[in-house]
């Protein structure tokens, strides 16, 4: 038996996509009538519209949303630069944002992972006919901003204030939030403060640290020590060990909940400290795990639902009024007092 030659093997053919022309022939109407039938704003005789839609359903036709962009209409495609999602808050935020975009008939293209926030990655997604670009994680270069302007793709920053005055932004009042944490701890008699922050070049990190330092100095105290980690639980645990073994702290403010949970594990299990008797720990964000009975973390709620609503509002406003000035929305965090202070 001879081996079958590759060139003699039958090749699998991809089924041909049903087109609007197929619908027009089957329904006995023009190609223009098919387009009008799928556009509720276009006039078409009601009976003809019903016939076209029924035929389209029977033969398996759906209009191509990407092709609509060639006619100057919206595609519903929205790119979301999510970053590396190291923090549980980032994952919870992304899930809520994607759900809200879908509910608004928008279809997100998500760039996630440690290498997502690069010019090349973003330029690749800009090849698609996007309605907008939402920046959640990391930062983008001025060249990307210029490219988006040339392509008429609006940019919305979610979680920080963008540097471009024509872009829209939604951000938490990080400085005020961390100042609230200081006030709570001072009222509880804490005096030996440490701070565990995220990456030093992040704007949210600089703002949260500034809120701690400023409020302590205003009350006649100073920050004894501070360190940085990567916003993860394990990173927080490692950094907390350094801070807690080098200083006799009675209060530790963390720049996010994930690191605060790591600090709790370090204090309780690695160092044998009682929380909150020996050490008070406060986080920032109010992720789902912060509410678990084994943690009951005192934290600042950085409200996801409110932030997502504002992002969607800014998106609709920008699409309806492309030339409007950039808008900045600052959302106040809420102190959530639980068991760790």
């Amino acid at each position: 038996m001879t081996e079958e030659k590759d060139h003699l093997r039958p090749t699998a053919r991809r089924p041909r996509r049903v087109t609007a022309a197929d619908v027009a022939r089957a329904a006995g109407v023009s190609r223009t009538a098919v387009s009008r039938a799928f556009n509720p704003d276009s006039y078409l005789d009601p009976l003809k519209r019903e016939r076209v839609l029924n035929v389209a359903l029977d033969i398996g036709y759906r209009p191509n949303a990407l092709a609509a962009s060639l006619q100057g209409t919206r595609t519903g495609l929205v790119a979301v630069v999510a970053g590396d999602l190291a923090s549980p808050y980032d994952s919870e935020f992304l899930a809520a944002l994607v759900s809200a975009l879908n509910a608004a008939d928008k279809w997100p293209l998500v760039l996630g992972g440690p290498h997502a926030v690069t010019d090349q990655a973003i330029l690749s997604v800009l090849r698609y006919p996007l309605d907008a670009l939402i920046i959640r994680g990391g930062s983008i270069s001025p060249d990307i901003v210029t490219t988006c302007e040339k392509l008429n793709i609006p940019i919305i920053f979610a979680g920080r204030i963008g540097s471009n005055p024509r872009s829209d932004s939604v951000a938490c009042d990080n400085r005020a939030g961390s100042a609230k944490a200081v006030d709570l701890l001072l009222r509880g008699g804490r005096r030996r403060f440490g701070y565990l922050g995220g990456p030093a070049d992040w704007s949210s990190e600089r703002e949260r640290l500034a809120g701690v330092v400023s409020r302590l100095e205003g009350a006649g105290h100073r920050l004894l020590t501070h360190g940085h980690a990567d916003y993860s639980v394990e990173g927080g645990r490692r950094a907390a060990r350094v801070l807690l073994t080098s200083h006799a702290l009675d209060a530790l403010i963390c720049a996010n909940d994930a690191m605060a949970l790591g600090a709790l594990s370090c204090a309780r299990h690695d160092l044998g400290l009682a929380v909150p008797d020996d050490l008070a720990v406060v986080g920032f964000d109010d992720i789902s795990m912060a509410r678990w009975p084994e943690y009951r973390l005192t934290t600042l709620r950085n409200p996801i639902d409110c932030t997502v609503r504002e992002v969607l509002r800014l998106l609709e406003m920008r699409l309806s009024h492309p030339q409007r000035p950039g808008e900045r929305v600052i959302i106040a965090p809420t102190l959530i007092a639980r068991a760790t202070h």
Side-chain angles (χ1 to χ4, degrees):
M1 182 174 181
T2 60
E3 182 180 354
E4 185 179 9
K5 301 296 185 182
D6 286 344
H7 69 276
L8 295 179
R9 292 175 183 167
T11 58
R13 292 188 176 182
R14 190 174 181 178
R16 187 178 71 86
R17 185 186 180 99
V18 178
T19 67
D22 296 327
V23 177
R25 284 192 296 271
V29 298
S30 67
R31 173 66 179 79
T32 301
V34 175
S35 297
R36 289 178 175 273
F38 282 93
N39 184 353
D41 296 326
S42 296
Y43 174 77
L44 187 67
D45 176 79
L47 293 178
K48 183 178 289 187
R49 185 188 301 273
E50 182 179 4
R51 182 167 77 254
V52 170
L53 295 178
N54 286 337
V55 168
L57 181 62
D58 288 342
I59 67 176
Y61 170 77
R62 291 292 294 169
N64 189 329
L66 294 181
S69 66
L70 300 177
Q71 303 173 17
T73 59
R74 298 180 190 173
T75 64
L77 292 177
V78 177
V80 179
V81 179
D84 60 11
L85 302 175
S87 166
Y89 180 84
D90 293 333
S91 299
E92 292 180 13
F93 184 92
L94 179 61
L97 178 61
V98 167
S99 178
L101 287 169
N102 288 160
D105 289 331
K106 303 291 189 295
W107 313 111
L109 300 175
V110 178
L111 296 181
H115 304 296
V117 192
T118 66
D119 283 6
Q120 189 55 50
I122 297 174
L123 284 172
S124 295
V125 81
L126 292 182
R127 294 179 299 174
Y128 293 90
L130 303 177
D131 283 351
L133 176 66
I134 298 175
I135 306 297
R136 169 59 198 169
S139 60
I140 60 174
S141 71
D143 290 342
I144 294 296
V145 173
T146 300
T147 300
C148 287
E149 289 179 345
K150 291 179 179 178
L151 296 173
N152 294 315
I153 298 174
I155 301 175
I156 300 174
F157 292 90
R160 65 186 179 86
I161 299 299
S163 58
N164 183 7
R166 295 188 59 189
S167 299
D168 299 307
S169 305
V170 185
C172 175
D173 193 339
N174 296 299
R175 186 167 181 145
S178 57
K180 289 181 180 180
V182 172
D183 288 342
L184 174 72
L185 296 172
L186 287 174
R187 289 195 300 269
R190 311 290 175 163
R191 296 296 181 266
R192 303 186 304 276
F193 282 74
Y195 174 80
L196 176 50
D201 58 341
W202 288 29
S203 60
S204 59
E205 160 57 22
R206 295 192 296 270
E207 293 164 2
R208 293 177 187 184
L209 174 58
V212 170
V213 172
S214 177
R215 188 54 59 95
L216 280 174
E217 291 178 349
H221 300 282
R222 67 184 181 90
L223 183 65
L224 294 183
T225 184
H226 75 275
H228 296 280
D230 59 359
Y231 279 144
S232 70
V233 174
E234 283 305 313
R237 186 169 188 162
R238 290 191 298 268
R241 173 183 284 273
V242 175
L243 297 178
L244 296 175
T245 55
S246 59
H247 295 80
L249 304 177
D250 63 7
L252 181 61
I253 298 175
C254 301
N256 81 338
D257 286 347
M259 293 191 300
L261 297 181
L264 280 176
S265 295
C266 175
R268 289 170 170 166
H269 304 299
D270 301 345
L271 304 179
L273 298 175
V275 178
D277 293 344
D278 299 327
L279 176 73
V281 178
V282 178
F284 205 119
D285 285 337
D286 196 29
I287 62 175
S288 298
M289 290 174 64
R291 304 163 207 154
W292 290 7
E294 55 265 47
Y295 297 123
R296 297 184 62 214
L297 177 68
T298 296
T299 186
L300 281 302
R301 177 172 293 159
N302 186 359
I304 289 177
D305 290 346
C306 181
T307 304
V308 168
R309 280 198 305 271
E310 287 299 316
V311 169
L312 267 292
R313 181 185 67 81
L314 291 174
L315 174 59
E316 292 298 339
M317 290 290 291
R318 178 61 57 193
L319 294 178
S320 300
H321 307 283
Q323 301 305 316
R324 67 191 293 267
E327 183 177 347
R328 296 182 174 184
V329 179
I330 305 297
I331 297 176
T334 303
L335 180 65
I336 306 297
R338 295 194 179 98
T340 62
H341 72 287

